[in-house]
Amino acid sequence: MTTNPASANSSALERDAQVAMSHQHVSPNDIALGVVIGRASEYFDFFVFGIASVLVFPKVFFPFADPLTGTLYSFAIFALAFVARPIGSILFMKIHDRYGRGVKLTTALFLLGGSTAAISFLPSYNSIGQVSIELLASLRILQGLALGGAWDGLASLLALNAPRERRGWYAMIPQLGAPIGFMVSSALFSFFAVNLSSEDFLDWGWRFPFFCAFTINVVALFARLRLIATPEFTRLLDKGHLQPVGVIDLARHHALDVWIGAFVPLASFALFHLVTIFPIAWNTLHSDRSAGDFLMVQFSGAIICAGAVAASGLIADQIGRRNILIITAGLIAAFAFGSILAPLIFGENAIGQTIYVNVGFMLLGLSYGQTAGAVTSRLGSRYRYTGAALTSDLAWLFGAGFAPLVVLYLADAYGLAVVGVYLLSGALATLLALFLDRSEMRQM
């Protein structure tokens, strides 16, 4: 793949948009807002699917299986997007190289919102049989491809233009999209689960959050295109050399950096779905607590997570990003040991469940808040755009993609202590990767 200036490979429509937006000024606050809106829309799409994988899909698409098996089938489909995501990054880099960043982003977000919204119209297994499962899996793969293509370089641009003494603060801003996306999706599902009968919820209520996805993605698209269409944004990208490069070229110069970068955030990513998606599954299968009530507990946990993400930026600017990653990995390891030694803390006890969720969300925010900077810091400016996308894709695949499936299967067979073992493995992977690489110490 060749690397050309954005002005040379943009489509005619994109160049026209740049002319129309030539009077616009791009400030760091504009970039930050675009990043948060974009990430929140992406996480909303993924969390809607994740929550439905527990509350809806086992009954609508796998009614022939028992509740546990149906949930495991749903989690297997859930994981498909994480497999497809790096493929999507590579495919959409080609679109970027040929047609421009605006065309790439527009295509990816319409595909992401369209595939998510299309799930709301899927007939049940009882209506069309096996075809319903195949359609669900296909749309999930499209979600993954689209999310890979939704990488816009805004986070890297924000990091490159951040004052040196505030890099931790600016690195955490994109991560706020995760708790915001979860809050919106969990609130929607909780509302319908609480206010509808079980029959109505499974018939039509669950479809509404999926249908909302298209509107949310259109809003996010315009928020991001407003930045991308400005000549100043293009100049900033060109100055930072934030253009796609070939995967072979990236591998030739930064293969080891990509692999280490993918393992640095594993403590955070291992925890990610174990405080969001997995607890919903365990609560649904092994507790009488209502789904709507538990989702509201997680909603409050997501608020704590957002506060912890912001706190991570302040702390990182004081002690260094690498140091906070080491500390949070150690705290997650301690949390994992607690889960191994006292698995009853997260059983059928409502207080124990609430403590687990809130503490887990707090640790998630502190650790996840700095993973974006850790992923991109090892890469030179020329390789940052493509390298950051693929490194993040691999980190999600290894750390989180199969976590709900694997942990639910093992926890049901061997007990909840398995959750702690899985978290501990992620924490140890992060610590090992950080000690193999000292670049964060040098930079901070």
Side-chain angles (χ1 to χ4, degrees):
M1 183 187 303
T2 59
T3 303
N4 301 316
S7 59
N9 60 29
S10 296
S11 67
L13 287 175
E14 187 169 349
R15 292 195 299 271
D16 290 343
Q18 291 174 354
V19 172
M21 299 291 289
S22 60
H23 64 285
Q24 294 291 328
H25 171 70
V26 179
S27 69
N29 289 337
D30 290 331
I31 299 174
L33 181 61
V35 169
V36 172
I37 293 175
R39 296 296 182 272
S41 69
E42 294 165 8
Y43 280 109
F44 172 81
D45 288 6
F46 262 53
F47 280 129
V48 162
F49 194 101
I51 295 172
S53 294
V54 177
L55 302 183
V56 178
F57 295 162
K59 299 174 182 177
V60 174
F61 296 101
F62 304 103
F64 53 85
D66 62 83
L68 172 63
T69 304
T71 305
L72 291 174
Y73 288 157
S74 296
F75 282 164
I77 293 179
F78 177 78
L80 291 177
F82 295 92
V83 178
R85 183 170 171 171
I87 300 173
S89 291
I90 296 171
L91 291 176
F92 277 92
M93 291 293 176
K94 295 283 188 181
I95 295 176
H96 180 167
D97 191 52
R98 184 167 183 177
Y99 299 105
R101 182 176 290 104
V103 173
K104 170 205 167 190
L105 185 61
T106 301
T107 305
L109 287 185
F110 269 99
L111 180 61
L112 180 60
S115 58
T116 305
I119 294 173
S120 67
F121 297 101
L122 287 181
S124 67
Y125 180 89
N126 291 331
S127 299
I128 60 174
Q130 182 71 23
V131 176
S132 66
I133 300 174
E134 295 170 356
L135 290 173
L136 179 65
S138 298
L139 291 172
R140 182 59 175 169
I141 292 172
L142 290 178
Q143 277 190 317
L145 294 174
L147 188 60
W151 176 253
D152 51 19
L154 286 171
S156 293
L157 183 65
L158 193 61
L160 287 174
N161 289 277
R164 185 178 183 84
E165 67 278 5
R166 300 199 67 194
R167 284 180 177 174
W169 176 260
Y170 281 94
M172 73 82 190
I173 290 175
Q175 312 302 75
L176 288 171
I180 293 173
F182 185 79
M183 280 188 278
V184 177
S185 58
S186 62
L188 276 174
F189 268 103
S190 178
F191 175 81
F192 286 103
V194 168
N195 291 284
L196 296 178
S197 66
S198 177
E199 293 76 14
D200 287 341
F201 177 72
L202 292 176
D203 181 30
W204 61 269
W206 69 271
R207 301 177 186 273
F208 187 80
F210 283 91
F211 188 73
C212 289
F214 189 81
T215 302
I216 291 175
N217 276 274
V218 169
V219 173
L221 173 63
F222 280 103
R224 293 154 88 173
L225 287 181
R226 189 180 70 86
L227 297 175
I228 290 175
T230 60
E232 183 177 354
F233 181 83
T234 300
R235 286 194 297 271
L236 289 171
L237 288 174
D238 290 342
K239 180 181 177 181
H241 304 290
L242 289 176
Q243 302 295 332
V245 299
V247 175
I248 295 177
D249 188 18
L250 174 68
R252 185 182 300 118
H253 293 89
H254 285 284
L256 181 60
D257 294 332
V258 168
W259 283 109
I260 292 179
F263 280 89
V264 166
L266 282 199
S268 177
F269 286 9
L271 182 61
F272 201 92
H273 285 150
L274 297 186
V275 296
T276 56
I277 305 304
F278 171 76
I280 304 173
W282 191 265
N283 175 77
T284 301
L285 293 170
H286 299 282
S287 172
D288 294 330
R289 194 173 191 177
S290 71
D293 174 59
F294 189 72
L295 285 171
M296 282 295 95
V297 171
Q298 290 188 302
F299 181 92
S300 66
I303 296 176
I304 295 173
C305 180
V309 168
S312 76
L314 298 174
I315 297 171
D317 286 333
Q318 297 300 314
I319 67 174
R321 186 186 300 134
R322 181 176 183 272
N323 289 331
I324 192 175
L325 289 171
I326 291 175
I327 292 171
T328 54
L331 291 174
I332 291 174
F335 185 62
F337 270 117
S339 300
I340 294 172
L341 299 177
L344 290 179
I345 192 174
F346 179 55
E348 297 184 6
N349 185 294
I351 296 176
Q353 291 176 351
T354 302
I355 293 173
Y356 175 88
V357 167
N358 288 331
V359 173
F361 267 111
M362 181 187 68
L363 292 176
L364 176 62
L366 289 173
S367 58
Y368 183 65
Q370 295 303 308
T371 58
V375 164
T376 61
S377 63
R378 298 179 53 84
L379 304 167
S381 59
R382 180 172 184 269
Y383 299 95
R384 187 179 291 255
Y385 186 88
T386 302
L390 290 178
T391 302
S392 179
D393 293 343
L394 293 175
W396 280 113
L397 177 61
F398 298 148
F402 291 91
L405 173 65
V406 172
V407 174
L408 179 60
Y409 175 79
L410 293 177
D412 188 79
Y414 303 105
L416 277 171
V418 171
V419 178
V421 174
Y422 192 95
L423 282 177
L424 184 60
S425 68
L428 293 177
T430 289
L431 291 171
L432 177 60
L434 287 170
F435 281 110
L436 287 174
D437 169 46
R438 297 280 175 166
S439 63
E440 284 294 316
M441 181 69 79
R442 291 195 298 269
Q443 291 185 17
M444 302 298 287

